[in-house]
Amino acid sequence: GVQTCALPIFVAAVRSLELSRLPWGDPRSAADSPAEGSKRRTADEWLAESGRQLADAAAALDEAIAATAPTGKGALKPDLKTEILLLESELRIREGEVLLAAGDPSASRERFMQATDDLEQVATLRKLPQPKSHPDLFRPLVLGAEAMLAGARGQIEQGDPAQARQTIVDASAMLARAEGLAVPEDYPLRSRLRALQEIGRA
């Protein structure tokens, strides 16, 4: 039926997401020294290319959703709606990473929060117990808190320490929520969570 004919478009969306997978490392570090001009250009190119690939992925996903559910996602069967939400959450997380690296913590935090909402919906659709405590939320919660702490630094620089303090409190609460999730101790983002907690306490 209509819901199966869009499968090739879904495959294209997934492939675009795979192509947009960000390399490990932070391009922001390339801007630390004026002597690293060539690296800075590489970082800019990295961000631009990631942005283009993510835009392609978003377009493919939008096309898939439109072809699959012309009257809206509410008409989809739960299993297909779940797959769409998983793709959307991954896309939002990738977008958030690029926006954070590009120095836009506010837009970055928004993407991570959207991903958190998407994953909570997935857990609900799958009828999992305590959908707001599912381990899949760990990644967007930690990255969202990182974006908030970056935003707090900007608020301090702009002369708004009161707002910065509130942002740090909110980020710390998000990290505490992430810490309470059933995620293995050797999960890659565990060390980042601990580092961010130290920043929040500083």
Side-chain angles (χ1 to χ4, degrees):
V2 174
Q3 295 196 1
T4 58
C5 72
L7 183 59
I9 308 175
F10 273 114
V11 172
V14 173
R15 185 176 181 191
S16 293
L17 281 170
E18 287 304 312
L19 287 173
S20 72
R21 188 175 297 277
L22 301 176
W24 292 113
D26 188 345
R28 288 170 290 181
S29 63
D32 288 345
S33 169
E36 300 293 330
S38 61
K39 289 186 180 179
R40 174 64 189 176
R41 285 193 295 274
T42 300
D44 288 341
E45 291 166 2
W46 178 90
L47 288 170
E49 180 60 21
S50 294
R52 284 192 294 270
Q53 291 169 342
L54 285 167
D56 289 345
L61 187 53
D62 287 344
E63 184 181 351
I65 293 170
T68 306
T71 60
K73 285 187 288 187
L76 290 173
K77 294 178 181 178
D79 57 344
L80 193 48
K81 186 174 182 181
T82 295
E83 292 305 314
I84 289 176
L85 285 168
L86 286 171
L87 279 172
E88 287 181 327
S89 68
E90 186 64 23
L91 179 61
R92 300 293 171 251
I93 289 171
R94 303 279 178 80
E95 288 175 338
E97 289 176 317
V98 170
L99 287 164
L100 185 58
D104 191 346
S106 178
S108 174
R109 175 186 176 275
E110 181 182 314
R111 299 301 194 282
F112 293 132
M113 294 306 94
Q114 288 173 339
T116 300
D117 291 342
D118 289 341
L119 291 171
E120 287 177 0
Q121 288 186 61
V122 167
T124 299
L125 285 167
R126 288 176 169 171
K127 299 183 170 143
L128 300 177
Q130 300 180 317
K132 291 185 178 292
S133 299
H134 194 274
D136 285 352
L137 298 171
F138 187 86
R139 187 174 163 216
L141 285 172
V142 171
L143 295 173
E146 182 176 7
M148 292 177 74
L149 290 171
R153 287 193 293 272
Q155 289 161 352
I156 291 171
E157 291 169 0
Q158 292 163 15
D160 194 351
Q163 184 57 54
R165 281 193 296 272
Q166 184 57 54
T167 300
I168 291 169
V169 168
D170 293 341
S172 297
M174 195 176 299
L175 291 169
R177 181 183 172 191
E179 187 177 30
L181 300 179
V183 173
E185 283 300 319
D186 60 352
Y187 188 78
L189 284 180
R190 275 281 185 191
S191 59
R192 191 181 301 189
L193 180 145
R194 289 189 286 269
L196 292 171
Q197 286 175 323
E198 289 301 318
I199 293 172
R201 286 192 284 263

